[in-house]
Amino acid sequence: MLKREMEEHDGRRPQPLVVLTSSPFHGHMTPTLQLATTLHANGFPIAIAHSNLNPPNPSNHPSDFTFLPLSDNLSAVEGTGGFAKFINTLNNNCKGSFKEHLTRLVNEGNKSIVVIYDNIMYFAGVVADDLNLPRIMFRTTSAAFIPALLLRQQVRQHGRFLEEDFVMQEVVPNQNLLRYKDLPFSKTPIEDWKQNVANYSQQAHPSALICNTIKFLEHESLTQVHNMLQVPVFAVGPLHKLAPNLSSGSCQEDTSCITWLDKQPPKSVVYISFGSLATMETKMLIEMAWGLAKSNQRFLWVVRPGSVSGSEWLELLPEGFIEETRERGFIVKWAPQKEVLAHFAVGGFWSHCGWNSCLESISSGVVMICQPFIVDQMVNARYVSYVWKIGLELEWVERGEVERMIRRVMVDEEGVEMRVRVNDMKEMVKEAVGDDGSSQKSLEDLVDFILSC
Ligand code: UDP
């Protein structure tokens, strides 16, 4: 029995009900549910207030989890007019039903309730504040992304809209790291973006912040974030290591790729996946395919249905590609990614650099080829390639460049050196989540913080 559970059974400390919000995005929902599982293991009763779009599957969770559906009235991310509008609609639509749920829980006699909300579901912080309940923000991104958001805002307020600008390659003045191109600019119409900023700025100030990151990895950024927010910051990552048995369950994993990997030599396979959201044009798919073929390396490729504009699945792959690579390639719709990255045969990860993917790659000691698409992925890619030096940045997707990149990572001395570094980091992750490690210590501090609320 865990320490917290024993205390509860002793009757010494009543555990507050922890209400977490779960957003419709896979990359947000998974760490939220991992956090819920971790807190549950520490004795807290858990309720999950979730969007009805991509809801969590209750059967993957302990039977005493409570699920609170929110009336989001959303049917898909697409069709709502882009990401910024989607976030606005999500927040406007969910607020009422969240307030009803919380009010009911209070009226039912739940004396102490603590709300932990995904930062993109900021309505929950506002509602908790209205009801005078403690509210803890949860960031599923890297800590470094938080100041990068502020930097983007400053650049935009100075009238710079740089998407087409040649200065994109330049380092932002007074920064020694991030270039303009690393900042999360988007194609969002400026009015929607302004509305988003206005909404965010009306958020309730959180009582504390939880980050799915690790102190040794982001020490400076965590200090910066703490200085920005002036509230306790808990770095409890990587959460997939604290809740390793949780099945995310929302996508059907094709485990036949593990059987295929079992037959490949050690560190010989490049794993390619761009997460749950990234989409690309056909031209990119074709250049990727021929680059892979020309590199002559083994590969496991996740081609998510719908990820290529206008296609069902593989029909837009260039003619002859499948035949040419049949002996050394395997394609699936969705892989058991953590298992894949931990597999002895995998030697590199060509990734969009979503934060979960970065954490999973580092935890498994796998070097990366970074091809960021949107939001926080550019900042993550910059850290992977330029700060931690455990990956290379693929600047443009052209078959010759793809071939060179894969060979640099999989075959050349450069790849060997990066692998040494990432293996050191893998060991440091193990220490961080082990007894007395920094993430375990932060988790204990978080538990104490929740109890003290
Ligand atoms: N993932 C997976 N199988 C796949 C592709 C992705 O299990 O074939 C998981 C991956 O392990 C990670 C998540 O989906 O936990 C993707 O999150 P990330 O933050 O990397 O990217 P996002 O999907 O948010 O863009």
Side-chain angles (χ1 to χ4, degrees), residues 25-28 30-31 34 140 240 248 251-253 271-278 302-304 332-339 341 349 351-360 374 376-377 380:
F25 300 110
H26 185 87
H28 284 239
T30 307
Q34 288 162 345
T140 60
H240 74 276
S248 64
C251 303
Q252 185 67 41
E253 293 173 345
Y271 168 61
I272 305 138
S273 163
F274 295 156
S276 60
L277 287 172
V302 177
V303 181
R304 222 180 59 246
V332 292
K333 293 180 176 169
W334 189 258
Q337 180 164 303
K338 290 191 283 288
E339 215 183 321
L341 287 169
F349 181 14
S351 169
H352 70 312
C353 291
W355 186 236
N356 295 295
S357 293
C358 292
L359 288 174
E360 290 161 13
I374 47 168
D376 59 330
Q377 296 158 13
N380 301 340

Side-chain angles (χ1 to χ4, degrees), residues 258-272:
I258 300 293
T259 316
W260 180 81
L261 282 174
D262 288 344
K263 297 186 204 118
Q264 312 306 318
K267 303 257 174 271
S268 66
V269 175
V270 192
Y271 168 61
I272 305 138

